Amino acid sequence: ASAPVLYDRLCGMIGVRYNNKHGRASSSEEGCFIWDEDELIKERIKEIKQQCKWCIVVSHAGDEFCDLPMPDVRERYLKYLEWGADIIVGHHPHVVQNYEYVGNKIIFYSIGNFLFGTDFESIHSAANIGILIKIDISEDSYSWSYLPVLIEQKTGRVVTTVTPAIFKNIDGDTYSQFAPVAAKEYICQAEINNIKYNLKRRDISFLGRMRIVLSHIKK
């Protein structure tokens, strides 16, 4: 699960995901490369940089329906850059978040949704918007462009749309000003909506619903 994918000694990629009680790969069972395996992540980034010019980390992590990354997520991604990663592409929050330049490196904290049509996404109005990122890489530099897309639930189509206001470069100083506001909004709106949604679910058992609800209350 942790093995890098290498492209012509120009670029290497690894994929990580957030930690919960399910899905961790082991020596005998398939699964995911979990984002808290710091020493192994550091080793894989080093392995890529020894063979390639650029290292990309794709991360399935972050808090659902949160407009900005929470501080622990941001700190973790900054750590990956310190270890040698050049580009981080995040997804999982279901909404578009900001990006951040760190020197000549970049973090896309969340590119939102692309193909989603479940009731779960409808609990947040911005969950039908995503960003397609195109990264052009050469031996000396990289550049990127993007296309904002909208999921039309009624027609089942994905169409182009306007760029979400949050999708811009937010540096550390600006982030420190907005993060408390985003955290409050996240708790008061997104988490409450998550709890309401999961209480109504009938696709999982009562104990399953309670376990999910308690995890959101704990958060």
Side-chain angles (χ1 to χ4, degrees):
S2 70
V5 177
L6 305 177
Y7 296 94
D8 298 327
R9 302 189 67 84
L10 183 64
C11 174
M13 299 175 65
I14 55 172
V16 299
R17 64 157 280 181
Y18 70 98
N19 182 29
N20 65 8
K21 63 184 296 184
H22 306 292
R24 186 184 296 271
S26 71
S27 59
S28 60
E29 296 181 352
E30 69 277 5
C32 299
F33 189 17
I34 304 301
W35 72 337
D36 63 356
E37 298 184 43
D38 286 355
E39 291 306 312
L40 187 53
I41 292 172
K42 186 186 299 185
E43 180 181 325
R44 292 308 191 205
I45 292 174
K46 181 180 178 180
E47 179 182 338
I48 291 172
K49 294 296 287 186
Q50 287 174 339
Q51 302 179 68
C52 302
K53 170 67 176 179
W54 307 100
C55 173
I56 299 177
V57 177
V58 179
S59 178
H60 182 79
D63 297 285
E64 293 174 321
F65 309 114
C66 189
D67 294 329
L68 286 176
M70 288 294 97
D72 62 318
V73 175
R74 181 173 180 267
E75 289 167 8
R76 187 178 296 275
Y77 290 169
L78 290 174
K79 186 163 56 177
Y80 294 168
L81 296 187
E82 291 176 5
W83 293 343
D86 300 290
I87 301 169
I88 297 174
V89 181
H91 58 93
H92 173 66
H94 295 294
V95 293
V96 175
Q97 294 179 347
N98 64 295
Y99 58 90
E100 180 179 2
Y101 277 106
V102 182
N104 66 337
K105 303 183 177 187
I106 193 168
I107 304 170
F108 299 99
Y109 285 102
S110 175
I111 55 176
N113 283 338
F114 177 55
L115 290 175
F116 268 90
T118 67
D119 292 337
F120 180 55
E121 275 68 50
S122 66
I123 68 176
H124 197 292
S125 59
N128 61 340
I129 299 174
I131 296 288
L132 296 181
I133 301 290
K134 178 185 178 184
I135 302 174
D136 293 304
I137 294 176
S138 70
E139 293 183 359
D140 301 317
S141 63
Y142 73 89
S143 61
W144 62 277
S145 57
Y146 70 94
L147 180 70
V149 294
L150 171 70
I151 305 167
E152 290 185 338
Q153 299 288 1
K154 292 183 179 180
T155 65
R157 301 175 65 221
V158 176
V159 299
T160 57
T161 187
V162 297
T163 302
I166 191 63
F167 189 67
K168 58 185 177 182
N169 181 31
I170 297 181
D171 61 23
D173 291 338
T174 306
Y175 174 84
S176 64
Q177 298 175 34
F178 285 105
V181 179
K184 181 179 180 180
E185 180 179 331
Y186 166 61
I187 293 170
C188 295
Q189 296 185 30
E191 283 297 275
I192 295 299
N193 287 337
N194 264 328
I195 291 171
K196 290 179 179 178
Y197 171 81
N198 283 291
L199 284 172
K200 296 177 181 178
R201 292 179 66 178
R202 293 297 178 266
D203 59 321
I204 57 176
S205 68
F206 174 78
L207 288 178
R209 294 200 303 273
M210 291 304 100
R211 185 169 60 248
I212 294 173
V213 167
L214 287 174
S215 71
H216 285 291
I217 291 174
K218 179 181 178 181
K219 187 180 293 181

